[in-house]
Amino acid sequence: MYDTTNVFWKILEGDIPCTPIYETDHIFVFPDIAPKRKIHLLCIPKGKYTDFSDFTKNATKDEIQGFWKGVQDVIRSHNLEDQGYRIISNMGSQGGQEVPHFHIHILAGEPVGPLVA
Ligand code: 5GP
C-alpha cells in the first residue's frame, strides 16, 4: 500500500520545497538533501510506486521507458558518462530504503568508493 505521507510524494505535490533539476511527465529529479558525494541526485517517477519491484511490476511501459530515459538524459546533461557514476536503488528494510517512493540515487563528481562500506 502506497503511503502518501512520504516526503517524496510531498515534494511531487509541492508541499516540501526542493530545487528541480529535470522534469517530464514520468520523472522528477532533484538534489538529495544530505548529499553523500559532490553530485547526489534523486530520480523519482511521478506515479505512486513504493519501490523498484512495485515500479517494475506495475508501471506502464510508457512510465518505465519515460523514467529511464529521464535518468539517462540527466546523466548525459551532467557529462557523467566519461567520468563515471553510480546508480543505486535501495528497497525495503534490508535494502536500507528510508523513503517508500521508488527512487534512484545518482552518485558522481568524485570517486564513489566501495559498493558497500
Ligand atoms: P533511501 O535511503 O530511501 O534510498 O534514500 C532516501 C534519501 O532521501 C536519503 O538519501 C535522504 O537524504 C533523502 N531525503 C530525505 N528527505 C528528503 C527531503 O526532504 N528532501 C530531499 N531533497 N531529500 C531527502
Side-chain angles (χ1 to χ4, degrees):
M1 179 75 83
Y2 184 86
D3 174 9
T4 54
T5 65
N6 81 77
V7 292
F8 292 173
W9 187 252
K10 289 180 178 173
I11 284 173
L12 284 173
E13 293 280 281
D15 295 336
I16 292 180
C18 74
T19 305
I21 297 283
Y22 178 92
E23 182 173 13
T24 70
D25 286 348
H26 297 303
I27 188 170
F28 188 68
V29 182
F30 55 100
D32 196 291
I33 200 169
K36 302 296 188 292
R37 293 295 181 272
K38 281 182 186 166
I39 297 173
H40 187 171
L41 303 177
L42 296 167
C43 308
I44 63 176
K46 296 256 179 104
K48 293 174 180 167
Y49 300 104
T50 57
D51 53 41
F52 176 76
S53 292
D54 184 22
F55 183 68
T56 306
K57 282 188 284 192
N58 298 316
T60 66
K61 283 183 181 168
D62 278 356
E63 286 176 310
I64 292 171
Q65 188 176 20
F67 176 78
W68 289 111
K69 181 185 181 308
V71 173
Q72 176 57 22
D73 285 349
V74 168
I75 287 166
R76 194 181 301 117
S77 67
H78 284 71
N79 297 314
L80 300 182
E81 286 176 330
D82 288 343
Q83 67 187 62
Y85 58 90
R86 182 173 296 162
I87 59 175
I88 296 172
S89 185
N90 299 318
M91 182 190 156
S93 57
Q94 293 205 350
Q97 182 177 6
E98 293 170 13
V99 180
H101 180 109
F102 170 53
H103 53 281
I104 293 292
H105 299 255
I106 300 175
L107 296 163
E110 60 185 316
V112 177
L115 183 57
V116 178

